[in-house]
Amino acid sequence: MKKSRGRTDRKRKRRHLQSFMDGVNCSHKLEYINLKKWLKDRGFEDSNLRPAQFWDTGRGLMTTRALQAGDLVISLPEKCLLTTGTVLSSCLGEYIMKWKPPVSPLIGLCTFLIAEKHAGEKSLWKPYLDVLPKTYTCPVCLENDVVSLLPEPLRKKAQEQRTTVHELYLSSKAFFSSLQPLFAEDTGTIFNYSALEWAWCTINTRTIYMKHSQRECFSLEPDVYALAPYLDLLNHSPNVQVKAAFNEQTRSYEIWTNSQCKKYEEIFICYGPHDNQRLLLDYGFVATNNPHSSVYVSSDTLLKYFPPLDKQRNAKISILRDHDFLENLTFGWDGPSWRLFTALKLLSLAADEFTSWRRTLLGDVISARNEQQTLTMTAKICHFLIEETQHALLQISQLKRNKENLKTQLTLVEALRLEDLKILQKSAEILCNLNIATT
């Protein structure tokens, strides 16, 4: 029987959509051909992984064979890794060795990346540099308008990150100047703030953990960084498990999977059980339906709902501070955390219950009234955060219409806020059910 044209077109369309969902193979692109050739010259052989563009995660690696738990995903020879050893064996080495006080391993790597990027065609690392992102979406790179739309605890950490990078730049300017004999151009224009920001983000988002022995020419900060070309194309998923380490026998950095992966699917690794705020802060992305995600409650929000006339208010706040109960208070997919609930229970103690504060911190039930008031306060805070999140989402959608240049950054913060909203709505539902059960 002859197939109808419409059905054939539909099947072709579906097949095309499916291949787009799986990922579009990018190994034919010149930058990846050059990178693979460069890696092969350094002893890297691989026929199972292909660079690809995925509709939901962007650039990543797909596998050309089905993987089972216990399979080796990638083995990258030591010669391919960029470490402080690489930096010291370059022309920068002698300058680092004689500089006092010693620079940090991090600054050593940043300096190398900036210098190699500036060298352009002459750089031995050009094939790797060509596939590195040109821009990043870590909070340090976000515009002020975008940072102001982050949840309050993350906004504070974003400001701290900016201060860290800015101070790093200021404290390294004299060292950068000492490198002038190596360059025809003024080092001030080569090693400017935006160059350092790019290098810092490259290391912060892409390095693998690899401990190196302490060298006298570096400061005492831990030397635990290694940039891993090709391997660093692997994206994060909170739902997979991997084993990753440097193998002393093979002198290679190896990743083994503890999960299955079908042929032509994107292969993921796990950066750790991080919530979305941590992922955004350290790597510049968020994961949807992240089981580890939480919404943080700042101490200001926590205290907003307690009567300022409570005579024991200051004493209660001191107790919470002394016992580290003013930080890491969260709502998760399973509702308010034990820490949040405990802090609110202590704040809800009546005057005649105050002497039982130690029992509260241990999780004891003090009274039915205390339990009920704690539930009411928790629900109020949850609803406040829902409203705040919805307001931020409204602001984001308005800015997206007006500021085309900020669309990428705003979409990222929007993804974080939408995830937060889902968690808070789930928590509100859980609290509502708890309230019904206790009344």
Side-chain angles (χ1 to χ4, degrees):
M1 197 176 89
K2 201 175 174 186
K3 283 184 183 174
S4 79
R5 177 78 191 271
R7 200 183 317 163
T8 310
D9 283 352
R10 274 200 303 276
K11 276 182 84 172
R12 196 181 292 127
K13 214 174 196 175
R14 195 159 60 240
R15 207 162 47 238
H16 175 73
L17 183 68
Q18 186 56 48
S19 79
F20 180 64
M21 296 274 283
D22 289 343
V24 179
N25 189 343
C26 295
S27 52
H28 61 282
K29 289 190 174 180
L30 187 61
E31 66 255 38
Y32 295 119
I33 293 169
N34 290 341
L35 180 65
K36 287 295 284 280
K37 184 181 178 301
W38 180 81
L39 288 166
K40 193 178 179 185
D41 291 345
R42 290 165 178 251
F44 176 65
E45 291 288 346
D46 179 83
S47 55
N48 299 322
L49 301 173
R50 297 274 183 279
Q53 192 70 24
F54 298 91
W55 74 279
D56 53 348
T57 54
R59 192 173 67 165
L61 290 176
M62 68 158 64
T63 174
T64 57
R65 69 177 179 94
L67 293 173
Q68 304 302 320
D71 282 356
L72 179 68
V73 174
I74 192 168
S75 177
L76 196 68
E78 190 172 18
K79 274 186 182 174
C80 302
L81 301 173
L82 199 169
T83 64
T84 47
T86 318
V87 179
L88 291 177
S89 60
S90 75
C91 61
L92 295 171
E94 61 170 304
Y95 290 85
I96 289 171
M97 285 177 192
K98 65 185 182 193
W99 186 257
K100 294 284 178 282
V103 298
S104 65
L106 175 64
I107 275 295
L109 283 166
C110 284
T111 308
F112 183 83
L113 281 174
I114 297 166
E116 292 298 308
K117 194 181 181 191
H118 175 72
E121 296 292 330
K122 298 192 191 95
S123 171
L124 293 174
W125 289 80
K126 185 183 186 307
Y128 177 49
L129 294 168
D130 284 349
V131 297
L132 285 175
K134 307 286 180 277
T135 57
Y136 290 94
T137 46
C138 303
V140 70
C141 307
L142 300 180
E143 293 293 330
N144 288 331
D145 285 356
V146 180
V147 172
S148 68
L149 293 164
L150 292 170
E152 200 265 329
L154 181 58
R155 194 161 62 238
K156 199 172 152 197
K157 285 180 179 159
Q159 303 291 5
E160 285 166 10
Q161 191 181 78
R162 286 171 163 218
T163 304
T164 299
V165 179
H166 198 70
E167 284 174 356
L168 198 64
Y169 170 66
L170 293 175
S171 64
S172 307
K173 279 175 91 169
F175 167 66
F176 293 150
S177 296
S178 78
L179 306 173
Q180 190 59 66
L182 295 171
F183 300 95
E185 282 174 60
D186 178 22
T187 52
T189 59
I190 300 166
F191 296 91
N192 56 33
Y193 178 76
S194 65
L196 180 76
E197 186 183 87
W198 173 82
W200 185 88
C201 288
T202 298
I203 293 160
N204 204 52
T205 61
R206 308 184 82 74
T207 48
I208 51 175
Y209 181 88
M210 189 175 160
K211 200 158 179 24
H212 309 285
S213 53
Q214 192 71 44
R215 291 186 180 94
E216 275 183 28
C217 59
F218 286 119
S219 62
L220 294 173
E221 282 99 322
D223 188 353
V224 291
Y225 310 102
L227 282 163
Y230 206 62
L231 182 149
D232 64 6
L233 293 172
L234 289 163
N235 285 320
H236 163 84
S237 168
N239 306 312
V240 300
Q241 288 183 314
V242 294
K243 196 172 80 183
F246 186 75
N247 185 328
E248 296 289 345
Q249 275 70 49
T250 62
R251 303 304 298 170
S252 295
Y253 193 90
E254 296 175 349
I255 293 180
W256 301 76
T257 183
N258 291 334
S259 314
Q260 288 185 327
C261 187
K262 290 179 190 160
K263 191 176 179 178
Y264 300 126
E265 272 190 351
E266 179 170 13
I267 181 153
F268 289 100
I269 57 173
C270 184
Y271 301 172
H274 304 319
D275 63 46
N276 275 344
Q277 295 210 10
R278 172 84 186 272
L279 289 175
L280 179 54
L281 193 69
D282 288 350
Y283 305 102
F285 71 88
V286 298
T288 50
N289 300 316
N290 182 354
H292 309 297
S293 249
S294 302
V295 177
Y296 288 80
V297 179
S298 69
S299 50
D300 288 351
T301 303
L302 184 78
L303 301 172
K304 199 186 283 262
Y305 291 93
F306 283 88
L309 299 174
D310 180 344
K311 286 186 179 141
Q312 288 141 338
R313 181 186 165 97
N314 291 341
K316 287 173 180 176
I317 294 166
S318 291
I319 291 165
L320 291 176
R321 188 175 290 113
D322 294 346
H323 292 81
D324 193 29
F325 268 92
L326 285 177
E327 299 287 321
N328 294 325
L329 310 174
T330 56
F331 287 100
W333 293 107
D334 51 359
S337 66
W338 180 81
R339 284 177 60 81
L340 174 60
F341 220 57
T342 303
L344 289 168
K345 272 173 79 167
L346 190 133
L347 287 168
S348 298
L349 288 172
D352 59 345
E353 295 170 338
F354 184 56
T355 50
S356 305
W357 66 263
R358 282 189 186 82
R359 284 175 52 212
T360 309
L361 293 183
L362 293 170
D364 289 358
V365 173
I366 305 302
S367 68
R369 185 213 60 82
N370 178 263
E371 293 290 305
Q372 189 55 53
Q373 191 173 330
T374 303
L375 266 179
T376 305
M377 289 298 174
T378 313
K380 278 184 180 175
I381 289 170
C382 186
H383 284 108
F384 164 76
L385 290 172
I386 287 173
E387 282 177 24
E388 189 191 57
T389 306
Q390 286 169 333
H391 179 64
L393 283 163
L394 191 65
Q395 286 178 289
I396 291 166
S397 66
Q398 285 167 349
L399 263 180
K400 273 172 92 174
R401 281 197 296 274
N402 303 332
K403 298 206 173 180
E404 190 64 36
N405 60 319
L406 295 181
K407 210 162 187 181
T408 305
Q409 294 186 7
L410 289 165
T411 302
L412 178 70
V413 180
E414 186 176 46
L416 176 77
R417 288 290 201 165
L418 285 167
E419 196 80 352
D420 283 1
L421 189 60
K422 282 194 275 184
I423 290 168
L424 291 165
Q425 285 169 338
K426 186 90 179 86
S427 293
E429 201 182 300
I430 289 164
L431 286 163
C432 183
N433 292 338
L434 277 173
N435 231 329
I436 292 164
T438 55
T439 50

